[in-house]
């Protein structure tokens, strides 16, 4: 929880200064935001140290390490300070690192979700893809095709839990859903910061490939 607000860490890890004192979160003037970022980096340094201690305490030849987080933080990169305020890339992106026996070195730059962790970890442990009933996650060590992937990510922004961000390639479509029907209403495309935008080449309605992706799911 050290990299989760209020970004707690021991005093000896206050390496980036000046850091915002714990509990001080009024106003968010530019200077305060910079101090908040320093506090965040100090907390990240403490977490890095803690992970290093853990890794060095076990047999790395018999252990698979998986490091992730539950969400990102705005830190004013998207116009918001923390998280759960808008459907932006900065607030929804989290690290996903896995290393150990059975894990082939690779970098995945396609969008992924936390439900991918279980099938990916099982592949690393067993040496092959494992089907898990009721799990929609993908085996990231398997032959998945990111350019054909449609992801539905809950949006906690705007105080509405009935909004989703559908990610397909580099495009993001904000939709509102209703369990009664069911019904999905497209609200428009958004950019990485969660602001409305019109992707290049689009004018009015989502193109036919988006419609086909809905039907495939």
């Amino acid at each position: 929880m050290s990299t989760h607000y209020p970004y707690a860490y021991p005093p000896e890890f206050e390496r980036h200064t000046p850091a915002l004192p714990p509990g001080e979160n009024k106003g968010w003037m530019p200077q305060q935001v910079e101090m908040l970022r320093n506090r965040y980096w100090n907390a990240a340094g403490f977490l890095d140290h803690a992970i290093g201690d853990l890794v060095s305490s076990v047999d790395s030849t018999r252990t698979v390490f998986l490091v992730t987080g539950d969400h990102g933080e705005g830190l004013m990169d998207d116009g918001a300070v923390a998280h759960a305020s808008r459907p932006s890339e900065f607030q929804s992106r989290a690290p996903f690192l896995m290393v150990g026996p059975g894990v082939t070195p690779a970098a995945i730059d396609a969008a992924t979700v936390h439900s991918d962790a279980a099938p990916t970890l099982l592949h690393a442990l067993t040496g092959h893809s494992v089907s898990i009933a009721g799990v929609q996650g993908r085996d990231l060590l398997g032959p998945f095709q990111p350019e054909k992937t449609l992801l539905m990510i809950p949006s906690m922004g705007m105080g509405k839990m009935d909004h989703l961000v559908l990610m397909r390639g580099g495009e993001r479509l904000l939709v509102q859903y209703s369990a009664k029907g069911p019904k999905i209403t497209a609200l428009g495309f958004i950019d990485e910061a969660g602001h409305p935008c019109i992707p290049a080449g689009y004018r009015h309605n989502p193109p036919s490939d988006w419609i086909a992706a809905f039907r495939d799911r």
Side-chain angles (χ1 to χ4, degrees), residues 1-8 40 42-45 47-48 71 73:
M1 292 294 290
S2 57
T3 51
H4 192 290
Y5 187 81
Y7 317 133
Y40 178 84
N42 292 334
L47 178 61
D48 182 70
H71 53 72
E73 296 284 70

Side-chain angles (χ1 to χ4, degrees), residues 21 43 102 122 145 149 156 173 182:
L122 284 177
Q145 297 177 302
T149 299
M156 296 179 64
L173 180 64

Side-chain angles (χ1 to χ4, degrees), residues 137-198:
R138 302 154 303 168
D139 175 7
L140 301 182
L141 297 177
F144 80 103
Q145 297 177 302
E147 69 277 4
K148 296 182 180 180
T149 299
L150 175 66
L151 297 175
M152 302 181 70
I153 301 177
S155 167
M156 296 179 64
M158 300 167 290
K160 296 181 179 294
M161 294 298 292
D162 59 349
H163 282 63
L164 296 172
V165 176
L166 276 60
M167 299 180 63
R168 190 167 183 270
E171 298 171 356
R172 299 165 176 80
L173 180 64
L174 182 65
V175 303
Q176 186 174 20
Y177 70 92
S178 172
K180 298 178 181 179
K183 180 181 179 180
I184 296 180
T185 303
L187 302 179
F189 290 94
I190 58 175
D191 60 18
E192 288 191 351
H195 301 141
C197 72
I198 300 177

Side-chain angles (χ1 to χ4, degrees), residues 5 22 32 42 57 70-71 96-97 105 115 125 137 175 178 208 214:
Y5 187 81
Q32 284 185 301
N42 292 334
S57 68
D70 56 341
H71 53 72
F96 187 98
L97 309 173
S115 57
L125 295 176
V175 303
S178 172
S208 57
F214 270 104

